[in-house]
Amino acid sequence: RAHVVVLGNEKGGSGKSTTAMHLFVALARAGKRVGAMDLDLRQQSFFRYLENRRAYAERSGAALIMPEQARVTPSDLPLRAEADEADRAALRAALDGLRARCDFVVIDCPGSFTTFSQEAHAAADTLITPLNDSLIDFDLLARVDPATGRIKGPSIYSEMVWRGRQIRAQAGLKPIDWIVMRNRIATLDARNKRTVGRMLKELSRRIGFRVAPGFSERVIFRELFLSGLTLLDLRGGAEGQPLSMSHIAARQEVRELIRNLELPGVSP
Amino acid sequence: RAHVVVLGNEKGGSGKSTTAMHLFVALARAGKRVGAMDLDLRQQSFFRYLENRRAYAERSGAALIMPEQARVTPSDLPLRAEADEADRAALRAALDGLRARCDFVVIDCPGSFTTFSQEAHAAADTLITPLNDSLIDFDLLARVDPATGRIKGPSIYSEMVWRGRQIRAQAGLKPIDWIVMRNRIATLDARNKRTVGRMLKELSRRIGFRVAPGFSERVIFRELFLSGLTLLDLRGGAEGQPLSMSHIAARQEVRELIRNLELPGVSP
Ligand SMILES: Nc1ncnc2c1ncn2[C@@H]1O[C@H](COP(=O)(O)OP(=O)(O)OP(=O)(O)O)[C@@H](O)[C@H]1O
Ligand SMILES: Nc1ncnc2c1ncn2[C@@H]1O[C@H](COP(=O)(O)OP(=O)(O)OP(=O)(O)O)[C@@H](O)[C@H]1O
Ligand SMILES: [Mg+2]
Ligand SMILES: [Mg+2]
């Protein structure tokens, strides 16, 4: 049965879809069969990125690996409690299908609370939470006392993860491996970076996650969307130019993330 | 009656809450009475920033302007259609209260589609949509043909704005002044920046918004959350140090945004 990797963070724009895409390509290039779900039903950034990838492969003749994609449709039952139950069942059915045929399933979640997202968090063997280096983003993980800078307690997204863990424990499944990954790390940000780093370290012990170094702020992570490519697909540069130092460093960051994830059967 | 400014973008992490906070402080320091609403009911980043501001004022004795804040509670009616209607009425009631007592009302919307957010878009005299310099963010405004780079048509967030305009027109209100504001602009990003800039220019003519230069990527926009301060509140630096070149440039960006908004009775 496939190992399920969920990209989750209720905070918008933290890098879930970007990380989902790069994780998929890294696993696929490592020879794994990868399934994919995009639970951000309106935005569909992950699946749109894949759509662009398929289109690029078709018009260029390039052989570009694609995942097996499974979709869910939200229930239109008028009573919310019934619609939620139908959604949970729909997600489990779609996921079970992928799990039977793949080595890994990558699930991208929305930057909001939905029944699909909560259910995915309960289905996660590995949960990756990308996080901007910002106390605004941190505020969704934990409340910080503004007077003392000390952590007061878990916040709404930690509670969502805790609920996922609870559901999983009740089902007798092994615990979620929760990794918080710093993203869009700026070069000139020493004081703020130290503050966020210190708080992450403290919080990781309290609520049970590991911290991964993650990705720097790099244009290469966001300029290839239309081509459906990632920097991992580029050999010597998109137009045959040699890879820049920044590309090489970016590749190293993706490799480092994969290594930190400690996924079964994967050595980067 | 107050002029309503809405921060909207279904894309998460584009900078709505950050811009809402800086807009509030700029208007308040210009002597305006400002009302505030935070329709991101779970995250509440805008109102949490204000909570930190109030706490800072109390413990430091500093006189820090606060807006008049109005809250809404989501309906718990079991039938979705009834709950939506109750939510729309609740928003209008809260907003009417603020409008009667303030010069401006700043409404921060969530990075997701909600009834409250759609209703706020219909109530907007000015709508500010912050946008990362990224075709992933742009994808929520318009679909781009990956083969040609041409704009194919409006996407989910543009449709949300269009719906707001429709509701407004039916109510006989004057049109929304829609401003798309580039945010987190990187210094080293020439090619991608040009691409996004070109597409924004083309799209602005097609679907009817103006483009404002916006804010550069600057740590100062995200490191003051715990203090509840913004760079506009700093005189000569938070610890009495002289303002850096970056702070002065950041202030200029905020001033430039205010100038571009062309708000009634405001000259920056
Ligand atoms: N390391 C990075 N360097 C540069 N840009 C990045 C990086 N990571 C993400 N981005 C950009 O930041 C924005 C947000 O990223 P992304 O859409 O992946 O986040 P998300 O968490 O999926 O957002 P949402 O909550 O809306 O689903 C996008 O414009 C993306 O291109
Ligand atoms: N100009 C900027 N420079 C540096 N950091 C910024 C800037 N604008 C926003 N940020 C940071 O980017 C992240 C997203 O900003 P913000 O929370 O304001 O976006 P949002 O659109 O309100 O997100 P959501 O959709 O989750 O409500 C935050 O960590 C914030 O501190
Ligand atoms: Mg996403
Ligand atoms: Mg926000």
Side-chain angles (χ1 to χ4, degrees), chain A residues 10 42 48 77 80 139, chain B residues 10 42 48 77 139:
Chain A
E10 198 170 330
R42 280 178 55 93
R48 300 265 307 128
L77 293 170
R80 272 189 273 202
D139 193 51
Chain B
E10 198 170 329
R42 280 178 55 94
R48 301 263 307 128
L77 292 170
D139 193 51

Side-chain angles (χ1 to χ4, degrees), chain A residues 11-25:
Chain A
K11 184 70 181 98
S14 47
K16 299 177 287 295
S17 304
T18 299
T19 306
M21 187 66 192
H22 288 76
L23 176 63
F24 149 64
V25 174

Side-chain angles (χ1 to χ4, degrees), chain B residues 151-163:
Chain B
I151 289 168
K152 292 204 297 200
S155 182
I156 58 153
Y157 180 66
S158 296
E159 288 166 355
M160 187 181 178
V161 177
W162 184 85
R163 175 83 192 118

Side-chain angles (χ1 to χ4, degrees), chain A residues 10 12-13 42-43 48 59 75 77-78 80 83 113 132-133 139 143 146 184 189 191 219 222-223 226, chain B residues 10 12-13 42-43 48 59 75 77-78 80 83 132-133 139 143 146 184 189 191 219 222-223 226:
Chain A
E10 198 170 330
R42 280 178 55 93
Q43 295 185 24
R48 300 265 307 128
R59 67 177 180 269
S75 162
L77 293 170
R80 272 189 273 202
F113 184 91
N132 276 283
D133 257 14
D139 193 51
R143 293 301 158 91
R184 303 194 72 172
D189 186 10
R191 177 180 54 204
V219 180
R222 65 172 181 265
E223 70 179 327
L226 285 190
Chain B
E10 198 170 329
R42 280 178 55 94
Q43 295 186 23
R48 301 263 307 128
R59 69 177 180 268
S75 162
L77 292 170
R80 271 190 273 203
N132 276 283
D133 258 12
D139 193 51
R143 293 301 160 89
R184 303 194 73 171
D189 186 11
R191 176 179 55 205
V219 180
R222 63 171 182 266
E223 71 178 328
L226 285 190

Side-chain angles (χ1 to χ4, degrees), chain A residues 145-209:
Chain A
D145 185 327
T148 62
R150 305 316 314 277
I151 289 167
K152 291 203 298 198
S155 182
I156 58 153
Y157 181 67
S158 296
E159 288 166 357
M160 186 181 180
V161 176
W162 184 84
R163 176 81 192 117
R165 281 175 155 159
Q166 200 183 25
I167 294 168
R168 225 173 141 72
Q170 284 162 3
L173 301 166
K174 64 185 193 345
I176 298 174
D177 182 17
W178 185 17
I179 295 129
V180 173
M181 171 200 132
R182 297 172 79 169
N183 188 32
R184 303 194 72 172
I185 301 162
T187 25
L188 310 160
D189 186 10
R191 177 180 54 204
N192 180 60
K193 209 184 289 189
R194 268 199 312 276
T195 305
V196 173
R198 176 173 55 72
M199 290 185 172
L200 277 174
K201 198 168 167 211
E202 182 184 342
L203 190 65
S204 70
R205 283 189 296 255
R206 280 174 65 148
I207 67 180
F209 57 76

Side-chain angles (χ1 to χ4, degrees), chain A residues 19-64:
Chain A
T19 306
M21 187 66 192
H22 288 76
L23 176 63
F24 149 64
V25 174
L27 290 173
R29 292 176 69 87
K32 306 301 176 189
R33 286 168 309 171
V34 185
M37 298 191 72
D38 190 339
L39 301 182
D40 195 332
L41 298 182
R42 280 178 55 93
Q43 295 185 24
Q44 292 269 290
S45 302
F46 181 32
F47 274 16
R48 300 265 307 128
Y49 207 140
L50 291 168
E51 200 176 309
N52 290 340
R53 185 178 183 83
R54 183 189 305 278
Y56 183 91
E58 278 171 23
R59 67 177 180 269
S60 69
L64 283 171

